Amino acid sequence: MAELQNLLELNQPALAQFFAQLGEKPASVKMRAKQTLKWLHQSQVTDFSAMTDIAKATRDLLAANAEIRDLSVIRDSTASDGTRKWLFDVGTSAVDAVFIPEDDRGTLCISSQAGCALDCSFCSTGKQGFNRNLTVGEIIGQLRYANKALKADLGIEGRTPDGVQPVTNVVMMGMGEPLANYLNVFPALEMMLDDNAYGLSRRRVTVSTSGMVPQIDELARVVPVALAVSLHAPTDALRDVLVPINKRYPLKELLAACNRYLEFAPRDFITFEYVMLDGVNDQPEHAEALIKVAKQVPSKLNLIPFNPFPNSGYGKSPRERILAFQRRLSDAGIVTTIRKTRGDDIDAACGQLAGQIKDRTRRTAAKTINIHPASGSSKFPGDQQ
């Protein structure tokens, strides 16, 4: 018996091709794809019989050859501030997605991989190792599930009267490096933007990357959405330690890619993310170096208070030091915000997502670096004496 096709894996062009393979008339395949997308992603149906504007013969054909395979939820947690985290079963591992409600938006943080192979030294996900890339259906399935669950909480079934979904913004900032899985991330992004699916604007979808330069260029070519770069250090010497992919794509190459991206981006700036690590990257000289970096690219800085996790080897920068760091950047004319910590009581804050990973990288020990406390020397690792 042939394996059933999970329709959640297919964006609109792929759905049209699937209908053609089923024998649908060439003149009808695009219409069928659009109809199906609406049922799957706007109404979140689970049964082909509910697709009432599609001919019964076609629905029967779908039932015989396809399925709608939703993600299975292991745990559903809500923090004291309303942040909600789902742990999804993806076979050998489990991944997290986080919903952050605000007065003017509802943001879903989506995972792209089970674990992460990049091994950034301050990230809980990176400490867990890497299992595999998520499929298109597993990526878009997080958004589908979140909208369905949130609408159920509101007592709304199917499509809302105005077509609006509870999730208004998506950030690809969950577990994994999205651009290391671009073959699956890009079709999922296309579904997020498709008016027949989620209809999000490119300004409301953000991809975060640690700096995979060729894939940044490919994102600009295929599906340019808002871009955030996990910078975390203002020099190559320090970034080589905190974000190891910098050894392959150093700052000069990364900043050049950011400037190229702006030609296609929906916003006129790149967001630089910068986690504040006590005594590591939060000193006045780091601020001065960061100013020089930020002025090379139209950008905004997002300072992220470090969210500790067991055996991380790092500490959170004091609030006063973060504020002083922000003032110095702002005084230099750089728009700088401090990210509000959300969901830390359920380990849903930035850098805390760890899921349940069956590690294929055999990364058995957490890596730390030798750092000088803030009260002592503040030389960057790798600096010349």
Side-chain angles (χ1 to χ4, degrees):
M1 182 177 179
E3 183 178 355
L4 298 177
Q5 171 65 58
N6 181 15
L7 295 190
L8 299 185
E9 299 285 350
L10 307 180
N11 61 4
Q12 186 174 153
L15 267 174
Q17 183 178 5
F18 181 67
F19 275 110
Q21 292 171 348
L22 291 181
E24 189 73 25
K25 296 177 181 179
S28 302
V29 293
K30 289 185 178 180
M31 179 186 68
R32 290 285 182 249
K34 291 178 181 179
Q35 290 173 315
T36 304
L37 277 177
K38 288 180 179 179
W39 286 113
L40 292 174
H41 301 291
Q42 294 182 6
S43 299
Q44 289 96 30
V45 300
T46 57
D47 193 322
F48 295 116
S49 64
M51 300 179 176
T52 52
D53 61 352
I54 295 177
K56 185 177 184 304
T58 302
R59 282 182 274 155
D60 290 343
L61 199 59
L62 284 173
N65 293 277
E67 63 178 337
I68 305 169
R69 192 187 318 138
D70 278 306
L71 291 172
S72 176
V73 174
I74 298 171
R75 187 164 58 248
D76 182 344
S77 309
T78 302
S80 57
D81 63 8
T83 299
R84 189 167 176 181
K85 182 173 78 168
W86 294 281
L87 182 67
F88 292 109
D89 184 357
V90 291
T92 58
S93 298
V95 300
D96 296 308
V98 176
F99 178 71
I100 306 166
E102 298 177 84
D103 292 340
D104 60 342
R105 71 186 66 185
T107 301
L108 185 68
C109 181
I110 287 179
S111 293
S112 57
Q113 296 178 307
C116 185
L118 297 192
D119 198 18
C120 295
S121 61
F122 53 86
C123 180
S124 179
T125 302
K127 296 289 189 186
Q128 305 303 307
F130 174 76
N131 185 262
R132 66 173 176 86
N133 289 327
L134 298 187
T135 69
V136 176
E138 290 167 338
I139 295 168
I140 203 66
Q142 296 169 64
L143 178 53
R144 171 181 151 98
Y145 187 95
N147 270 325
K148 187 173 183 179
L150 294 166
K151 286 198 292 187
D153 290 346
L154 296 171
I156 302 171
E157 293 185 2
R159 303 181 200 182
T160 53
D162 55 2
V164 173
Q165 304 282 6
V167 176
T168 64
N169 294 62
V170 169
V171 291
M172 298 294 301
M173 297 182 183
M175 297 173 63
E177 162 58 59
L179 295 188
N181 184 23
Y182 71 97
L183 290 177
N184 292 313
V185 167
F186 287 4
L189 291 174
E190 289 169 344
M191 275 191 265
M192 294 175 197
L193 304 180
D194 193 322
D195 287 339
N196 295 292
Y198 297 95
L200 297 175
S201 77
R202 292 192 296 133
R203 294 173 61 89
R204 289 181 174 268
V205 178
T206 301
V207 168
S208 177
T209 179
S210 294
M212 302 188 71
V213 167
Q215 288 75 20
I216 291 174
D217 290 331
E218 188 70 2
L219 181 68
R221 187 184 69 82
V222 178
V223 55
V225 293
L227 182 67
V229 174
S230 297
L231 195 64
H232 307 312
T235 68
D236 283 320
L238 181 55
R239 199 165 188 269
D240 284 351
V241 177
L242 297 180
V243 188
I245 198 172
N246 191 73
K247 297 174 185 177
R248 183 180 300 178
Y249 305 115
L251 281 170
K252 183 178 179 180
E253 293 183 27
L254 176 58
L255 298 179
C258 289
N259 279 316
R260 291 194 299 272
Y261 192 85
L262 285 170
E263 298 178 26
F264 306 91
R267 294 176 175 173
D268 58 0
F269 63 89
I270 302 293
T271 299
F272 286 137
E273 298 168 311
Y274 194 94
V275 65
M276 300 293 290
L277 303 169
D278 186 18
V280 178
N281 65 352
D282 62 352
Q283 300 298 294
E285 56 264 42
H286 298 119
E288 297 304 321
L290 184 56
I291 289 168
K292 294 178 181 178
V293 169
K295 286 191 172 182
Q296 296 179 54
V297 179
S299 58
K300 292 185 177 181
L301 262 293
N302 191 4
L303 304 181
I304 306 171
F306 176 61
N307 296 299
F309 57 91
N311 302 314
S312 69
Y314 295 103
K316 179 186 291 188
S317 298
R319 179 71 176 174
E320 296 77 14
R321 196 179 304 152
I322 297 175
L323 291 171
F325 202 91
Q326 180 193 35
R327 282 195 299 271
R328 181 64 193 98
L329 293 168
S330 297
D331 289 346
I334 299 166
V335 177
T336 307
T337 59
I338 299 173
R339 180 177 294 174
K340 182 179 179 182
T341 298
R342 298 288 302 267
D344 55 333
D345 55 334
I346 57 169
D347 292 335
C350 181
Q352 288 186 318
L353 302 187
Q356 296 173 1
I357 306 303
K358 185 176 181 181
D359 181 25
R360 292 197 293 108
T361 63
R362 299 181 181 177
R363 191 180 300 151
T364 58
K367 297 179 181 179
T368 59
I369 61 173
N370 293 321
I371 58 174
H372 300 283
S375 58
S377 171
S378 56
K379 292 267 186 193
F380 304 159
D383 279 358
Q384 297 297 318
Q385 298 297 318

